[in-house]
Amino acid sequence: MNTLLLLGIVLGVAVLGEGLARITRLPRVTGYVILGVFFGQSLIGVFDTTFITHTAIVNELALAAMAFAIGSELKAELFKKLGRSIAFIVVCEAFLAFIFVTLGMYLMNPDKLYQALVLGAVASATAPAATVAVLSQYKARGPLTSTILAVVGIDDAISLVIFAFATTIAKTILSGTQLSLGELALKPLIEVFGAVAVGIAVGWLFKLFFGKVRHPDELLIRLGASLFIILGITTQLGFSELLAIMAYGAYMANTDPMMSNRSLNIVNTLAPLFFAMFFILAGARLNVSLLPAVGLMGLVYTLLRMGGKFAGGTLGALLGKAPVVVKKYVAMGLIPQVGVAVALAILVDRTFGTGTYGEAGVNLATVVINILLFTTIITEVVGPVLTRFAITQAGERHDNET
């Protein structure tokens, strides 16, 4: 079948995924991933490796939309309102998840520090979509709900920075480059700040030339041009495109809120199309035959990540002197990982799976994508249930359900 016909089938599968999500009361993205696995390369094979490779542009567009939306939420007034408790929670839950998973994966495979670092970085991300859907469904209101929303909104920004450092070190190890400790620290810093500089520079130029554009059609073309330019520059320079676009979105949100809102509305209108294809094709990448091999590692990864989120969320709440209800239950809203975590796994596949870093790089990409897709299904079932339990125990449900 040709690529256009297959893309049509992908969107048809997306409709089925939405129906599956409604029946099972799981997030839509979970339905997309599950059906992606079913129609993918290792089961009925409708979406094979060749097709996935030919549609790589879908990943780029979905990642761009995801990063822009994250950046658009990083407003100065938000950070002023956060207070020390939420700041402590965000930092602790992200870094402890990273540390727990990295140490655990390293102990399982001491000769693969690069793999442990990348899996740890991916583990630090929390998916806001599933959590927000649960809070909305049960009309949750209160200090716990507000804290969870703020934490999951900022978490991905922290995770992108951790990921940039981890992948830079992994590339250095796999390429065999001999670097001093100072150089190992400096190289990720250059990539992180370089990506942020690219995003801010393109945002500044966008405002300079197109600041007065208001018509949606004209704005769409200019916004698309700026996003593709950022993707192109960061790819050329080896910087993180996610960080660059996030910085671009944050710059726009803090310097021109009206333009930012208009741009975000355009992105949000188009994003569901790309997200549906993105998650279905991500599921299609799962190699079911490898599950026995990664099963134990995936289970350990899941337990360590949950342990890191629980320990970090609770520790952060204690250090930040959060309300008692937040200390007891905040960690239960931080379990889902679909979204940015899967996006990061796709980035790992694109960076290391091409053979540039040898067979070890290809194996790294295979392990990461399969563990993430395997564990995503688990966390998307467990996560919403724990979130519902937390807001129920905290007395923040207002849906009148028993």
Side-chain angles (χ1 to χ4, degrees), residues 163-200:
F163 182 79
F165 274 87
T167 52
T168 300
I169 295 172
K171 286 187 283 189
T172 301
I173 295 173
L174 288 173
S175 64
T177 306
Q178 297 296 319
L179 297 178
S180 66
L181 189 60
E183 290 172 320
L184 275 176
L186 181 61
K187 192 174 179 183
L189 283 174
I190 292 173
E191 292 198 13
V192 168
F193 285 106
V196 172
V198 169
I200 292 175

Side-chain angles (χ1 to χ4, degrees), residues 298-378:
L299 180 60
V300 172
Y301 168 93
T302 302
L303 294 175
L304 288 174
R305 179 182 176 276
M306 291 177 67
K309 291 292 182 182
F310 270 89
T314 304
L315 176 62
L318 289 170
L319 293 175
K321 298 180 179 178
V324 174
V325 70
V326 174
K327 294 175 185 175
K328 290 178 66 175
Y329 299 115
V330 67
M332 293 186 181
L334 306 177
I335 301 305
Q337 66 172 352
V338 72
V340 170
V342 174
L344 295 180
I346 299 297
L347 277 180
V348 172
D349 183 61
R350 195 183 67 197
T351 303
F352 297 96
T354 59
T356 304
Y357 295 93
E359 185 178 349
V362 175
N363 289 336
L364 168 64
T366 301
V367 167
V368 171
I369 191 67
N370 280 283
I371 285 181
L372 258 293
L373 292 174
F374 172 63
T375 58
T376 284
I377 297 173
I378 298 173

Side-chain angles (χ1 to χ4, degrees), residues 10-362:
V10 169
L11 293 177
V13 170
V15 176
L16 296 177
E18 292 170 1
L20 177 63
R22 280 194 297 270
I23 293 170
T24 58
R25 296 191 177 185
L26 293 173
R28 286 183 181 179
V29 289
T30 308
Y32 295 153
V33 171
I34 291 172
L35 288 184
V37 173
F38 180 74
F39 284 90
Q41 56 184 334
S42 57
L43 290 181
I44 67 174
V46 175
F47 309 136
D48 58 16
T49 305
T50 302
F51 172 65
I52 293 171
T53 302
H54 287 165
T55 54
I57 188 65
V58 170
N59 295 332
E60 301 288 353
L61 295 172
L63 291 172
M66 203 175 293
F68 185 79
I70 293 170
S72 298
E73 296 299 325
L74 301 180
K75 301 173 183 176
E77 57 264 29
L78 174 66
F79 289 97
K80 291 177 183 178
K81 294 177 183 177
L82 289 181
R84 59 180 285 171
S85 64
I86 295 176
F88 272 110
I89 292 169
V90 171
V91 172
C92 289
E93 58 89 10
F95 277 96
L96 281 190
F98 168 68
I99 292 169
F100 278 31
V101 172
T102 299
L103 288 177
M105 296 297 100
Y106 176 71
L107 291 174
M108 291 186 73
N109 294 285
D111 58 331
K112 295 183 178 180
L113 173 61
Y114 57 89
Q115 180 174 283
L117 287 168
V118 172
L119 283 169
V122 173
S124 66
T126 299
T131 300
V132 171
V134 172
L135 298 177
S136 176
Q137 177 182 347
Y138 296 106
K139 299 179 175 61
R141 294 192 305 275
L144 175 63
T145 300
S146 298
T147 300
I148 290 175
L149 286 172
V151 170
V152 298
I154 301 170
D155 172 271
D156 288 334
I158 302 293
S159 299
L160 291 178
V161 175
I162 295 173
F163 182 79
F165 274 87
T167 52
T168 300
I169 295 172
K171 286 187 283 189
T172 301
I173 295 173
L174 288 173
S175 64
T177 306
Q178 297 296 319
L179 297 178
S180 66
L181 189 60
E183 290 172 320
L184 275 176
L186 181 61
K187 192 174 179 183
L189 283 174
I190 292 173
E191 292 198 13
V192 168
F193 285 106
V196 172
V198 169
I200 292 175
V202 173
W204 181 80
L205 290 172
F206 184 93
K207 274 194 62 185
L208 179 66
F209 291 107
F210 309 127
K212 295 183 179 180
V213 174
R214 292 291 181 264
H215 194 281
D217 289 347
E218 296 178 356
L219 186 58
L220 170 61
I221 293 173
R222 288 155 179 77
L223 178 64
S226 62
L227 292 177
F228 276 112
I229 287 171
I230 293 173
L231 288 170
I233 292 174
T234 51
T235 299
Q236 191 70 29
L237 297 178
F239 296 161
S240 167
E241 55 264 59
L242 285 178
L243 268 180
I245 293 177
M246 184 184 72
Y248 170 76
Y251 177 82
M252 296 295 292
N254 286 283
T255 59
D256 193 339
M258 182 179 293
M259 176 68 77
S260 175
N261 288 335
R262 291 174 184 267
S263 300
L264 187 58
N265 287 337
I266 291 173
V267 170
N268 287 339
T269 299
L270 299 173
L273 175 67
F274 299 121
F275 286 170
M277 292 191 287
F278 173 82
F279 286 111
I280 289 170
L281 294 177
R285 293 168 181 262
L286 179 66
N287 188 341
V288 176
S289 66
L290 292 178
L291 289 183
V294 302
L296 177 59
M297 189 182 298
L299 180 60
V300 172
Y301 168 93
T302 302
L303 294 175
L304 288 174
R305 179 182 176 276
M306 291 177 67
K309 291 292 182 182
F310 270 89
T314 304
L315 176 62
L318 289 170
L319 293 175
K321 298 180 179 178
V324 174
V325 70
V326 174
K327 294 175 185 175
K328 290 178 66 175
Y329 299 115
V330 67
M332 293 186 181
L334 306 177
I335 301 305
Q337 66 172 352
V338 72
V340 170
V342 174
L344 295 180
I346 299 297
L347 277 180
V348 172
D349 183 61
R350 195 183 67 197
T351 303
F352 297 96
T354 59
T356 304
Y357 295 93
E359 185 178 349
V362 175

